[in-house]
């Protein structure tokens, strides 16, 4: 190998190691590439239709379809890609999603003006400017959720709640049919009956309807989900977006002191102060106390060591 070819190989290895890569499971049709870089599949951030928080989506070739990226991750996990180690060990699962669900929040927000508006004006979001790509996905399906007029060759839209809940009911019926055809046991969660002990299940039509309605509710805001559940006659609780609650620390309990002055002598920790009561003296002790003791030596002085005179 020549020196030039070796340097090119080293550069290519370093570029692969420095490149940020992700692992995903996606249909082959969504990864269609063309010579024009402007029409390549694009992964971008959009607002989730239920929570309004950030979520990842992928637009296919020329914004024909939109797919949702669901991230699965575990701690201490990485990927070995070729001769490089990718520290992000998460796995993305790509699934198709109807673009109308992502347009609905913008249509509902624009309905407060009560006017017909162009789709480009409706899809305005300073935080997520890539939402304008939704105008190229499933425009013909907007007639099922909005009133449409054509003014000077341009279509304008206005949100219609009655059309929307009827469209959601059709979606729910199709989903119930698909769940039955794929033998999904919805009595205890999503489970294929092939992997259950018995194929005899006691799932009724109501269980399929509630399960399908709950799946669709994952892409609807709180108000629209309530209207949809009421329209199809399903009693389900709507899970609101969790609010940020400030938890204040508990107040410190005040100690009650009966005596404010200290009860112990902290200056001498090892000593024990014992207060004795004054004892009564006998008559002999009183007379001894009155004797003149000047010039009388104590008995201990007789046992002291003698000092030698120099």
């Amino acid at each position: 190998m020549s020196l030039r070819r070796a340097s090119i190989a080293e550069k290519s290895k370093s570029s692969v190691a420095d490149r940020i890569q992700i692992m995903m499971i996606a249909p082959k049709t969504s990864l269609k590439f063309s010579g024009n870089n402007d029409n390549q599949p694009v992964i971008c951030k959009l607002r989730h239709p239920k929570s309004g928080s950030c979520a990842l989506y992928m637009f296919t070739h020329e914004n024909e379809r939109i797919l949702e990226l669901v991230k699965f991750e575990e701690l201490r996990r990485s990927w070995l890609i070729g001769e490089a180690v990718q520290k992000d060990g998460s796995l993305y699962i790509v699934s198709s999603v109807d673009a109308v669900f992502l347009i609905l929040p913008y249509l509902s927000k624009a309905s407060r003006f009560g006017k017909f508006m162009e789709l480009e004006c409706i899809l305005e979001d300073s935080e997520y400017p890539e939402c304008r790509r939704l105008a190229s996905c499933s425009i013909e399906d907007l007639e099922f959720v909005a009133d449409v007029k054509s003014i000077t060759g341009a279509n304008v839209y206005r949100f219609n709640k009655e059309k929307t809940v009827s469209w959601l009911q059709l979606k729910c019926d199709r989903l119930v049919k698909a769940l039955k055809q794929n033998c999904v046991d919805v009595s205890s969660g999503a489970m294929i009956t092939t992997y259950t002990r018995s194929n005899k299940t006691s799932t009724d039509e109501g269980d399929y309807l509630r399960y399908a309605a709950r799946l669709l509710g994952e892409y609807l805001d709180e108000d629209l989900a309530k209207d949809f559940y009421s329209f199809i006659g399903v009693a389900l609780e709507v899970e609101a977006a969790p609010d940020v609650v400030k938890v204040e620390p508990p107040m410190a309990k005040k100690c009650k002191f009966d005596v404010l002055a200290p009860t112990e002598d902290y200056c001498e920790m090892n000593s024990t102060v014992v207060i004795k009561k004054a004892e009564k003296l006998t008559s002999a002790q009183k007379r001894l106390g009155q004797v003149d003791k000047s010039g009388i030596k104590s008995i201990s002085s007789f046992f002291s060591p003698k000092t030698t005179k120099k």
Side-chain angles (χ1 to χ4, degrees), residues 148-274:
V148 186
K149 288 184 179 181
S150 180
I151 301 176
T152 63
N155 291 334
V156 290
Y157 305 89
R158 184 177 63 184
F159 177 68
N160 190 317
K161 184 180 292 185
E162 289 75 15
K163 283 186 175 182
T164 302
V165 292
S166 299
W167 173 75
L168 290 172
Q169 185 182 21
L170 293 176
K171 285 274 188 182
C172 189
D173 295 339
R174 293 178 183 176
L175 187 54
V176 168
K177 185 177 180 181
L179 292 172
K180 291 180 179 179
Q181 289 178 352
N182 291 275
C183 300
V184 178
D185 182 15
V186 299
S187 59
S188 58
M191 183 185 302
I192 302 298
T193 54
T194 307
Y195 301 101
T196 56
R197 295 182 178 180
S198 176
N199 291 333
K200 296 180 181 180
T201 58
S202 59
T203 306
D204 57 1
E205 190 72 19
D207 293 334
Y208 281 107
L209 184 61
R210 284 188 292 271
Y211 188 83
R214 189 179 293 108
L215 288 179
L216 293 176
E218 294 296 324
Y219 296 90
L220 304 174
D221 59 22
E222 184 178 355
D223 295 335
L224 187 56
K226 289 181 179 179
D227 296 335
F228 168 55
Y229 296 156
S230 177
F231 183 77
I232 63 176
V234 173
L236 290 175
E237 295 182 359
V238 180
E239 297 181 1
D243 298 330
V244 179
V245 180
K246 295 183 179 180
V247 180
E248 297 181 355
M251 296 180 63
K253 296 182 179 180
K254 296 182 178 180
C255 299
K256 296 181 179 180
F257 296 99
D258 296 332
V259 181
L260 297 179
T263 57
E264 298 180 3
D265 187 6
Y266 296 98
C267 298
E268 299 178 359
M269 299 299 296
N270 297 328
S271 62
T272 304
V273 179
V274 180

Side-chain angles (χ1 to χ4, degrees), residues 67-82:
L67 300 99
E68 182 182 14
L69 276 72
V70 180
K71 186 177 181 181
F72 173 78
E73 58 182 346
E74 292 180 345
L75 296 176
R76 300 176 181 87
R77 182 187 179 101
S78 59
W79 291 103
L80 297 176
I81 305 176

Side-chain angles (χ1 to χ4, degrees), residues 2-243:
S2 63
L3 181 61
R4 182 179 179 183
R5 293 179 61 186
S7 62
I8 293 174
E10 291 296 330
K11 289 182 180 180
S12 63
K13 289 182 180 179
S14 61
S15 62
V16 171
D18 297 337
R19 190 186 309 159
I20 298 177
Q21 303 180 76
I22 61 175
M23 296 292 293
M24 67 170 60
I25 301 176
K28 293 182 179 179
T29 55
S30 62
L31 301 177
K32 181 181 178 181
F33 295 90
S34 62
N36 189 1
N37 293 330
D38 296 334
N39 296 327
Q40 303 293 353
V42 177
I43 297 178
C44 57
K45 297 179 181 180
L46 296 178
R47 194 182 298 275
H48 194 275
K50 179 180 180 179
S51 61
S53 57
C54 178
L56 287 178
Y57 295 89
M58 182 174 69
F59 289 93
T60 59
H61 175 69
E62 295 182 351
N63 298 332
E64 294 176 352
R65 296 169 56 200
I66 182 171
L67 300 99
E68 182 182 14
L69 276 72
V70 180
K71 186 177 181 181
F72 173 78
E73 58 182 346
E74 292 180 345
L75 296 176
R76 300 176 181 87
R77 182 187 179 101
S78 59
W79 291 103
L80 297 176
I81 305 176
E83 298 181 0
V85 178
Q86 181 63 36
K87 63 180 181 179
D88 185 7
S90 56
L91 177 65
Y92 290 87
I93 301 176
V94 182
S95 59
S96 180
V97 64
D98 197 335
V100 178
F101 285 104
L102 279 77
I103 300 176
L104 274 176
Y106 295 98
L107 275 173
S108 178
K109 183 178 179 181
S111 64
R112 67 178 185 269
F113 300 106
K115 299 179 181 180
F116 286 86
M117 301 174 63
E118 295 184 359
L119 189 58
E120 289 75 12
C121 298
I122 295 174
L123 297 175
E124 288 187 356
D125 196 333
S126 58
E127 296 182 8
Y128 302 94
E130 294 293 337
C131 68
R132 292 181 175 272
R133 293 177 178 268
L134 295 171
S136 304
C137 304
S138 305
I139 300 179
E140 61 276 3
D141 293 340
L142 290 178
E143 61 178 327
F144 298 110
V145 296
D147 299 326
V148 186
K149 288 184 179 181
S150 180
I151 301 176
T152 63
N155 291 334
V156 290
Y157 305 89
R158 184 177 63 184
F159 177 68
N160 190 317
K161 184 180 292 185
E162 289 75 15
K163 283 186 175 182
T164 302
V165 292
S166 299
W167 173 75
L168 290 172
Q169 185 182 21
L170 293 176
K171 285 274 188 182
C172 189
D173 295 339
R174 293 178 183 176
L175 187 54
V176 168
K177 185 177 180 181
L179 292 172
K180 291 180 179 179
Q181 289 178 352
N182 291 275
C183 300
V184 178
D185 182 15
V186 299
S187 59
S188 58
M191 183 185 302
I192 302 298
T193 54
T194 307
Y195 301 101
T196 56
R197 295 182 178 180
S198 176
N199 291 333
K200 296 180 181 180
T201 58
S202 59
T203 306
D204 57 1
E205 190 72 19
D207 293 334
Y208 281 107
L209 184 61
R210 284 188 292 271
Y211 188 83
R214 189 179 293 108
L215 288 179
L216 293 176
E218 294 296 324
Y219 296 90
L220 304 174
D221 59 22
E222 184 178 355
D223 295 335
L224 187 56
K226 289 181 179 179
D227 296 335
F228 168 55
Y229 296 156
S230 177
F231 183 77
I232 63 176
V234 173
L236 290 175
E237 295 182 359
V238 180
E239 297 181 1
D243 298 330

